[in-house]
Amino acid sequence: MEATRTLAEVEKEIAETKAALQDVHGTETEVYARIVGYYRAVKHWNKGKRDEFDHRKMFTLEASKEYDITAADTDCAFGDAPAAKVTTANPVLDTEAVTYEMYTRKTCPNCPPVKDFMAGMDMAGRSIDVDTDEGLAEAAKKGVFASPTVIFYNEAGIETARCHNVEELEAVFDKVKVTA
């Protein structure tokens, strides 16, 4: 048979537990992160690197679902740009029906040659400045991680190629000449 406690006994036990919790002292948590090629405790970083760390954003899978770039058959550039990809199902055949979006920045050293190349093409398209909030938001939606980036769309609005430099653009347009 269980012993029953009175309300006063329960309240006394709660008060003792609250008092014990007030006296709990944990230890400092040491955070390690990668800096200049190796891991080191963040508390030992210099002020500049510490400020950089404080501005970092943590990414989660749930937050990244709004940037679904798997819907189109594309490449993304992280560091070294991969070769331009033209899908065989949707080749860029007719430059009259193809449109493009060109993502650039004012301070980008690689953007002027790409802009010049695209200016010489007779095709409909638009340039998007990712230095603006609207341009950056649009780039994020399309999964654009580098500038310059030129995305080509066929007449159905499906992405058919993604290029990051003049060499990749030339490869796409050479493919058009060969297949047309």
Side-chain angles (χ1 to χ4, degrees):
M1 182 169 183
E2 285 186 35
T4 59
R5 297 185 294 175
T6 65
L7 184 59
E9 291 173 334
V10 171
E11 287 179 354
K12 179 182 174 195
E13 189 176 331
I14 290 173
E16 288 172 356
T17 304
K18 284 183 179 180
L21 286 175
Q22 293 294 326
D23 196 34
V24 172
H25 300 288
T27 59
E28 182 179 345
T29 301
E30 200 161 353
V31 177
Y32 282 78
R34 188 169 179 267
I35 179 173
V36 195
Y38 59 93
Y39 288 91
R40 185 173 178 195
V42 173
K43 70 180 181 180
H44 296 298
W45 289 8
N46 67 34
K47 182 180 180 340
K49 289 293 180 187
R50 178 60 199 224
D51 286 345
E52 284 179 25
F53 180 79
D54 291 340
H55 284 90
R56 289 183 187 178
K57 293 186 179 4
M58 296 302 220
F59 295 97
T60 62
L61 182 61
E62 291 76 25
S64 68
K65 286 182 182 175
E66 68 183 87
Y67 303 112
D68 183 14
I69 60 172
T70 59
D73 192 13
T74 61
D75 279 340
C76 297
F78 291 102
D80 295 330
K85 188 171 196 175
V86 179
T87 63
T88 55
N90 301 312
V92 181
L93 295 176
D94 182 12
T95 57
E96 297 288 321
V98 172
T99 60
Y100 71 89
E101 291 177 341
M102 180 172 47
Y103 295 87
T104 60
R105 298 187 69 198
K106 290 181 183 84
T107 58
C108 168
N110 299 320
C111 290
V114 170
K115 286 180 184 178
D116 293 343
F117 183 91
M118 291 307 296
M121 294 294 124
D122 186 27
M123 108 179 6
R126 64 187 183 120
S127 181
I128 300 161
D129 183 5
V130 295
D131 286 326
T132 65
D133 290 338
E134 297 83 23
L136 186 60
E138 192 164 343
K141 285 180 193 172
K142 301 285 176 83
V144 174
F145 299 109
S147 66
T149 297
V150 181
I151 303 174
F152 294 97
Y153 300 95
N154 65 12
E155 61 277 353
I158 298 171
E159 182 178 330
T160 56
R162 189 175 284 218
C163 303
H164 303 93
N165 55 44
V166 173
E167 292 78 20
E168 291 176 1
L169 288 166
E170 288 171 344
V172 167
F173 284 96
D174 284 344
K175 173 106 174 137
V176 170
K177 291 176 191 169
V178 170
T179 58

